[in-house]
Amino acid sequence: QVQLVESGGGSVQAGGSLRLSCAASGRIFSWYRMGWFRRAPGEEREFVAAIFWSGANTNYADSVKGRFTISRDNAKNMVFLQLNSLKPEDTAVYYCAMRSNSGTDTPEFYNYWGQGTQVTVSS
């Protein structure tokens, strides 16, 4: 049983930055996978970035590679997503998620989800 709560969303002009936070609580094991997903208006949920709870291996969607950075603070049970060089097409609800099972970085393999935080990027 894991609970996830996102924060840090807001409105920003193109080229700006935001830092999203995810507070995790419950029973978390080292092999768990933490991910960020987003759902843009009129679009399906898509993968953004992921990191293991233990280890430095990361994975990013091509659309955000070089602009977004995922990180964690295990002592505080926190996961972060730094969003730089934001574009209007980054506008979406961003979700923190966790998977306890093996799989891939697709929504169907993640079994815990936060409520989402809105990111709006204007031209």
Side-chain angles (χ1 to χ4, degrees):
Q1 186 173 330
V2 174
Q3 295 80 45
L4 304 172
V5 180
E6 305 96 331
S7 62
S11 298
V12 64
Q13 293 183 337
S17 298
L18 286 172
R19 184 175 177 84
L20 308 183
S21 299
C22 174
S25 61
R27 197 175 184 186
I28 303 171
F29 293 91
S30 62
W31 61 86
Y32 282 12
R33 182 77 158 171
M34 300 298 304
W36 286 94
F37 295 78
R38 67 186 183 186
R39 189 192 300 275
E43 303 291 335
E44 297 181 354
R45 186 182 300 175
E46 67 172 350
F47 168 75
V48 176
I51 189 171
F52 283 111
W53 193 250
S54 179
N57 181 269
T58 57
N59 187 28
Y60 295 93
D62 289 341
S63 60
V64 307
K65 199 170 298 181
R67 299 189 298 120
F68 293 4
T69 303
I70 187 171
S71 61
R72 66 173 190 270
D73 185 338
N74 296 78
K76 297 181 178 180
N77 283 358
M78 298 285 290
V79 180
F80 307 96
L81 185 68
Q82 180 68 42
L83 300 81
N84 295 331
S85 302
L86 283 162
K87 306 173 182 179
E89 49 263 48
D90 293 318
T91 295
V93 176
Y94 284 71
Y95 298 90
C96 177
M98 176 183 291
R99 61 171 165 93
S100 58
N101 54 295
S102 62
T104 60
D105 290 324
T106 54
E108 56 265 34
F109 283 96
Y110 282 74
N111 47 335
Y112 300 102
W113 293 86
Q115 295 300 305
T117 185
Q118 177 71 47
V119 171
T120 302
V121 184
S122 60
S123 301

